[in-house]
Amino acid sequence: MKQFAAFITKFAKPIVLIWCAILVILAFFALQLPSKLQGDGFFYDGDHSYVTNELSDTFNLPAKTIFVLFENKTDEEISSALESLETIEEIQTITSPVGVEELNKDGFAYGMLDFDNSVDDYFPIIDELREKLGEDNGISITGEPVISKDINVASQNDLIKAETIGLPIALIVLLLAFGTIVASLLPILVGGATVVITLGLLALLGDSVNLSIFVLNIVPMLGLALSIDFALLLINRYREERNTQSIEQSVQTAIQTAGRSIIFSALCVMIGLGAMIVIDVEIFMNIALGGSIVVLLAVLTGTTLLPATLMLLGDRLNKGRVFRIKPTASRWQKFAAFVMKRPVTIIVVAIILLCVAMVPIKDIELTIPSTDSLPESYESRQTFDTLDEQFGLGDDTPVFLLAENESDWDTTEGREKIFDIQQQLLDDPLVDRVTSMFTVANIESVEMWEMANSNPQAPGALDEVAENFIQEDKMYMVAYLHADGSSFEAQDFVRDWSEKDLGVDFALSGQAKFNQEIFDEIAVKVLIAVAIIIVSTFFILMIAFRSILIPLKAILMNILGLGATFGILVYIFQYGHFGLEATTIVLIIPVLTFCLVFGLSMDYEVFLISRIQEEYLKGATNTKATVDGLVSTSKIITSAALIMIVITGAFAFTDVMPVKQIGVGIAIAIAIDATIIRLMLVPSFMKLFGDWNWWLPFKKNTR
């Protein structure tokens, strides 16, 4: 680090100029990122995806459908509106409600626009649809592609709203920490540059990687919070050293001390993010990618751009003084003394509080976000709700079964297999009805089918029906369940049926199968991700602090803090407190919160323990080193945590539910970590264990 620090101070001006050039270039690409984001990230390359594509390619079933809702419109107006859409080449078929009784009810009617799986980007199509249909209040569109686009728009609005709330408050916190305008603005400017550069890089990657719309919220949230935290730590150390050293020496010392803490902190965060990549669901891979890039850049800007800027600014860092910062060491000294005198009492009380907060976890309900992620103020959400209310659009839970037969389906043996599969489905108590070539033709047996089809007066009368369900070696049918597609009952159904031996190769698709695959993938892989995080964090902290006990305590306390966080999330969102309507917890929230916060909270562990270790290695006793470390870092940890809470907590005021829950979850976890854990439990345990804190087998005494 010493040579690196010397390099930064020697070439400060070129380093700043290079970063400025990178920022200008990538800012151009960052503006293009929103147009490259598609979907909510819940994509899994399994049976559901395979069957959906195969049904579209082989049987011309729609891969996606957009619904057009008409309210109090005449048949002529409906026909005219739908005819205007015929020029859109990507639409495969248009279904009109004119003359179709089941598509009309109480002044409402709806048509359907079907698309095959060749369409990659629905956003321009939706824009064209809305332009052609105009702004008539009686005509609106909805469906998965439309909801996805509107969530993209809502996410962009959420980002602006969160930054409008969070950044001014963060600036106030920085002013309270530093007292001068220049010192307070610098972390925000570095954080902003980090986020813009990351978004620019993601835009370049967006041409070859599918990126979820939630990247637009998670990356700025994480990048700003971390960058400002890192800057706060480094600037604070620089100002400390400036009291006794030159500008150059102060910058170098800050890099060697605070810079080292930043690197170890970032490693812990990147491990948490990187571990998510084992979960083969698109949103986790997106956040792992985007998060890792923004954390890496936060380290690079925090250890190069920021100290180089400090070198150029020098004492001008203190320009624009708003007020003088009063020393707080005496107050923290009293607090540290209080903790040192009552470690056991503090540990017992803190653990009881955390355990009480965990109690609501027993009621947690996890679901995959759907249309309810979109605020009710959006027309596409209102349209979907109307279709569901008037026509029961969400009542049916279809499960598609696609089977492949090595021999011909168009034989007696093949038809017997089809009929047998149909009857097994109908015998299942969860199946309401089945659509197959037999049910469509109203044929009750294979014998009746063959008799009807061989009738001399109408030979081959059923061939056209069969062709709708059979193409070469493939056959499909649809089972409709009387259970919600997101229910565990429906998931159990498709899970059990996927394991059945039907005598042919087959696969299932539909909402129930989609949900089951996502749930199972997360359930199986999350333990692997958690194990990677815990084991890797243990070894990084063990190497950083040359101790066995310190990483063990850090991991256990993190788990306690996160457990309390999940309990509070259930209390707020699922129980419906603080003016919120009761809702379920989005499936990804516990996984994302654990992976993100486990690394983020290690920031404060590293900040605090690094300073304690520094004092201990200088010859102080364990107790004195703990007190000195607590006194010197408490203000900075509190300020850093407050900024993290403000930046992430600002997303509580956004509209997209998964983003709201992620922001609130991270803010709660950081608040618990920076207060109960870092300022109370950590020093209490440090006091109790004494010199054993620094025990490592075969370690030579370096004091």
Side-chain angles (χ1 to χ4, degrees):
M1 289 294 287
K2 192 172 182 180
Q3 289 181 334
F4 176 73
F7 175 83
I8 298 298
T9 54
K10 184 178 180 181
F11 298 101
K13 192 171 183 179
I15 288 170
V16 171
L17 290 173
I18 289 169
W19 276 112
C20 287
I22 293 171
L23 175 62
V24 170
I25 293 168
L26 289 179
F28 170 77
F29 294 101
L31 295 172
Q32 302 171 22
L33 180 62
S35 65
K36 298 185 179 183
L37 303 178
Q38 292 278 342
D40 57 11
F42 283 92
F43 174 78
Y44 176 75
D45 191 12
D47 285 353
H48 170 76
S49 175
Y50 163 73
V51 172
T52 300
N53 289 333
E54 202 62 53
L55 290 175
S56 176
D57 291 339
T58 306
F59 296 95
N60 290 320
L61 294 186
K64 303 277 186 186
T65 298
I66 290 177
F67 300 89
V68 185
L69 179 66
F70 301 93
E71 183 177 357
N72 298 322
K73 295 295 179 184
T74 64
D75 288 351
E76 291 75 13
E77 288 173 320
I78 292 172
S79 297
S80 175
L82 292 178
E83 283 173 10
S84 71
L85 306 180
E86 291 177 355
T87 55
I88 301 177
E89 296 178 359
E90 291 85 356
I91 299 176
Q92 186 180 12
T93 57
I94 297 176
T95 302
S96 171
V98 175
V100 183
E101 186 178 346
E102 57 266 29
L103 301 183
N104 290 265
K105 184 180 178 182
D106 298 334
F108 291 96
Y110 74 93
M112 292 175 285
L113 313 176
D114 294 331
F115 299 81
D116 60 28
N117 63 358
S118 64
V119 180
D120 293 323
D121 187 1
Y122 281 91
F123 288 7
I125 297 172
I126 294 165
D127 288 337
E128 189 174 356
L129 283 172
R130 284 173 167 161
E131 183 182 344
K132 287 183 177 293
L133 293 173
E135 298 181 359
D136 191 323
N137 290 331
I139 304 177
S140 56
I141 60 175
T142 191
E144 183 192 332
V146 186
I147 296 285
S148 177
K149 177 175 173 58
D150 285 350
I151 289 178
N152 184 299
V153 173
S155 296
Q156 293 179 55
N157 293 337
D158 281 354
L159 179 60
I160 295 169
K161 186 188 296 184
E163 288 180 347
T164 302
I165 296 169
L167 288 178
I169 301 175
L171 181 59
I172 292 170
V173 175
L174 288 166
L175 276 171
L176 292 173
F178 293 138
T180 69
I181 293 173
V182 174
S184 302
L185 283 174
L186 188 56
I188 292 176
L189 293 174
V190 171
T194 302
V195 170
V196 170
I197 291 169
T198 303
L199 296 179
L201 290 173
L202 288 174
L204 293 174
L205 290 172
D207 294 325
S208 54
V209 177
N210 291 327
L211 294 175
S212 157
I213 52 182
F214 294 122
V215 166
L216 199 60
N217 297 109
I218 300 297
V219 168
M221 181 195 301
L222 185 61
L224 273 174
L226 265 181
S227 294
I228 293 173
D229 266 13
F230 291 165
L232 190 63
L233 179 67
L234 195 131
I235 292 172
N236 185 69
R237 189 56 186 261
Y238 164 78
R239 294 179 89 183
E240 266 185 45
E241 299 300 328
R242 186 69 186 94
N243 292 325
T244 57
Q245 298 187 87
S246 67
I247 293 171
E248 184 176 351
Q249 289 172 330
S250 299
V251 172
Q252 290 183 6
T253 302
I255 294 172
Q256 291 170 46
T257 54
R260 179 177 180 273
S261 298
I262 288 170
I263 291 169
F264 276 110
S265 298
L267 275 174
C268 292
V269 178
M270 289 182 73
I271 286 168
L273 290 163
M276 284 192 287
I277 208 163
V278 304
I279 305 174
D280 194 16
V281 178
E282 193 172 83
I283 190 168
F284 293 111
M285 302 177 81
N286 281 180
I287 293 173
L289 174 65
S292 296
I293 292 173
V294 80
V295 173
L296 178 60
L297 280 166
V299 174
L300 290 174
T301 55
T303 55
T304 59
L305 174 61
L306 178 61
T309 306
L310 288 176
M311 187 69 192
L312 296 180
L313 286 174
D315 291 332
R316 283 173 293 182
L317 182 71
N318 298 319
K319 287 283 187 181
R321 182 169 296 280
V322 178
F323 49 80
R324 294 204 168 273
I325 304 297
K326 295 180 180 179
T328 58
S330 59
R331 277 180 287 175
W332 287 112
Q333 194 85 35
K334 290 177 184 177
F335 175 78
F338 174 82
V339 174
M340 292 296 103
K341 286 178 184 177
R342 302 169 183 82
V344 176
T345 304
I346 288 173
I347 289 170
V348 171
V349 172
I351 290 177
I352 289 172
L353 286 172
L354 293 174
C355 289
V356 169
M358 289 184 200
V359 172
I361 293 178
K362 62 182 174 57
D363 299 322
I364 193 168
E365 291 180 33
L366 302 173
T367 56
I368 294 173
S370 55
T371 54
D372 55 1
S373 294
L374 190 65
E376 293 180 358
S377 59
Y378 280 77
E379 185 181 70
S380 57
R381 167 74 185 274
Q382 296 168 4
T383 303
F384 182 88
D385 290 344
T386 301
L387 285 169
D388 190 22
E389 180 183 341
Q390 295 292 329
F391 299 95
L393 193 65
D395 291 349
D396 279 337
T397 300
V399 175
F400 295 85
L401 185 151
L402 178 69
E404 295 186 34
N405 190 12
E406 292 181 358
S407 55
D408 193 356
W409 288 110
D410 193 22
T411 62
T412 299
E413 182 184 359
R415 285 188 279 270
E416 285 176 347
K417 285 182 180 179
I418 295 172
F419 192 78
D420 179 59
I421 294 171
Q422 172 190 297
Q423 292 309 111
Q424 286 190 56
L425 283 168
L426 288 171
D427 290 341
D428 194 295
L430 203 64
V431 174
D432 182 51
R433 67 188 189 278
V434 173
T435 298
S436 72
M437 67 183 203
F438 288 101
T439 60
V440 168
N442 200 23
I443 300 290
E444 297 180 358
S445 69
V446 175
E447 292 78 10
M448 287 179 62
W449 177 283
E450 293 183 341
M451 287 176 60
N453 213 32
S454 59
N455 187 334
Q457 295 180 351
L462 298 176
D463 287 349
E464 186 175 344
V465 175
E467 285 176 8
N468 289 330
F469 293 90
I470 298 172
Q471 290 292 327
E472 298 178 355
D473 62 340
K474 295 181 177 64
M475 177 278 301
Y476 88 93
M477 63 179 65
V478 189
Y480 293 88
L481 312 184
H482 49 79
D484 189 272
S486 61
S487 68
F488 288 111
E489 193 178 15
Q491 290 182 43
D492 288 339
F493 171 86
V494 293
R495 189 181 291 110
D496 293 342
W497 263 84
S498 295
E499 301 298 321
K500 284 183 179 288
D501 182 6
L502 300 181
V504 291
D505 293 330
F506 74 98
L508 305 175
S509 73
Q511 184 189 3
K513 182 63 179 176
F514 167 77
N515 287 348
Q516 174 258 313
E517 288 182 330
I518 297 288
F519 266 90
D520 287 359
E521 174 67 13
I522 293 174
V524 170
K525 300 289 183 62
V526 70
L527 292 178
I528 299 173
V530 168
I532 291 171
I533 292 169
I534 289 174
V535 172
S536 302
T537 300
F538 173 81
F539 282 107
I540 284 175
L541 294 182
M542 185 185 73
I543 292 167
F545 301 121
R546 300 182 60 77
S547 165
I548 294 289
L549 278 175
I550 286 173
L552 279 177
K553 288 186 296 182
I555 289 167
L556 290 173
M557 285 186 286
N558 262 19
I559 292 171
L560 270 176
L562 284 165
T565 299
F566 298 149
I568 296 170
L569 276 177
V570 172
Y571 180 82
I572 293 173
F573 289 99
Q574 204 168 301
Y575 293 175
H577 287 98
F578 302 107
L580 292 173
E581 185 179 344
T583 184
T584 53
I585 304 298
V586 178
L587 175 64
I588 61 170
I589 301 303
V591 182
L592 280 180
T593 305
F594 184 92
C595 293
L596 286 172
V597 174
F598 202 92
L600 287 173
S601 60
M602 285 301 172
D603 272 1
Y604 311 122
E605 178 78 9
V606 172
F607 294 173
L608 175 58
I609 300 297
S610 291
R611 200 55 182 267
I612 293 173
Q613 183 188 42
E614 197 176 320
E615 299 302 321
Y616 185 75
L617 292 175
K618 288 178 182 177
T621 63
N622 177 75
T623 300
K624 187 175 187 310
T626 302
V627 170
D628 291 346
L630 190 60
V631 170
S632 61
T633 60
S634 291
K635 180 185 174 182
I636 210 69
I637 286 177
T638 305
S639 300
L642 191 54
I643 287 170
M644 185 81 74
I645 292 166
V646 165
I647 296 292
T648 58
F651 285 84
F653 301 97
T654 58
D655 296 321
V656 179
M657 186 54 68
V659 175
K660 184 191 292 281
Q661 290 184 356
I662 290 170
V664 172
I666 294 174
I668 291 169
I670 295 301
I672 290 172
D673 187 83
T675 53
I676 296 176
I677 292 178
R678 298 306 149 206
L679 298 183
M680 298 174 72
L681 281 177
V682 170
S684 296
F685 277 119
M686 293 295 291
K687 167 68 176 178
L688 276 184
F689 287 107
D691 289 337
W692 283 102
N693 286 300
W694 311 103
W695 179 78
L696 182 70
F698 312 112
K699 180 176 77 172
K700 292 181 181 179
N701 188 2
T702 56
R703 295 187 63 187

